Amino acid sequence: MIVERNFKEYTKEQFSKEKNYNAILQKVKGSGVMKKKKILSIAAVLLVVVIVGAMAPNIYANIKWNIEFKEYQNRKVDYGLASINTAVDEYETNIDMDYIYQDEIGVKLEGLLITDDYFKMNIGVQLPEGMEVQTDTFGYNFAVYDENNNIYGVFERLKIGEKNPTIYWKKLYQELGIDYDKKDVYSIQYQDSCQGASVVTSEKGYLSTTCSMTSEKGFPKSKKLYIRIFDIGYSLYDFDEEARKMLAVENRTISDAEWILEVNVPEEFYQREMIELKMAEEIEGLELTKAEVTETGLSVKVKHEDMMKIIEEGMNQPTEEFDEAVHNAIHIEDEAGNKYYNFGLGTTGNQGEVKMKFDINKEQITEKTYYICTHLRGEDKKVKLEIK
């Protein structure tokens, strides 16, 4: 009986529901932990793969950029010094400088003019003997900044058909350590419009070129300027006049070197007086908000009730038709009836206001009488411009 009771107690203890439940539960829990560890390990691996996959384009982009920037740092560069001769009145030739040569190409700054809202420079280019270029498409890239790393502007010539832009501005910003808004990379530049290099005169082996920039906020009065000239070249193209279609375009770069010209700017260079103008009488629908004459021309800002409509319609018009509409809406005439049309039409930060520039300088404005002419509400108006 004692053995039987002990056996019953033993079997009851070994095979009790509570003990079996706890044992099973412990095994299940143990198995769950192992499975959980395996699942977490797999998830971690997948997460790493996803993250690496997502980061891969940025990683490769950074590697590519580092290679490009390294090549940029190792580019062919030569330096030249220029000084402004304030005794020379003609800004086209007010610079003292010798040619700087690379790849048998000589570059020098020949003339410089800076007003509050206008920058213009003349660059002379000496070509190798026997080299011929297409003068109507000849050009180069340029960048201008000062001793305080104020970026006047960066311009890169259009290369139709080339897929990979050089984005020189980005390299320049990094080189100079300039912070910028990645959503608006050009906002730190003072220029709001650029006119690329164009050939003014050409002789055998020599080209005189000019390029300009305008600035709504105004260029700083810098003590030292750095002008970079690079990617000199031209384009060849085959254009079907009848079909108004480009058949073929070929870019030709004649030098991938870079010229950096350092210019010392004396204080008296900025001591220029401008002449302010006003209308002799009002014209309904037209407000002249600014009219200033400098050595470079007449700068005008107007609010013309039809101009915004003309600009909007011009987006779908041929260039000739748009220009004719603008010229008809507003232009300048002198006392002899000669007409002056704007070059460099643009909007400003003010609602409904546009800016224009006319080829009329200070000397002309004091020698002749000029009129602002406009077509408004079906009528032609002509009002004299007077010195304030």
Side-chain angles (χ1 to χ4, degrees), residues 97-109:
M97 181 182 178
D98 295 325
Y99 277 105
I100 306 299
Y101 282 90
Q102 291 193 89
D103 297 336
E104 298 183 75
I105 297 173
V107 169
K108 76 171 181 177
L109 178 65

Side-chain angles (χ1 to χ4, degrees), residues 328-343:
N328 184 50
I330 185 168
H331 65 272
I332 305 293
E333 289 186 14
D334 63 20
E335 56 195 21
N338 298 312
K339 295 182 180 181
Y340 301 80
Y341 298 123
N342 87 88
F343 61 95

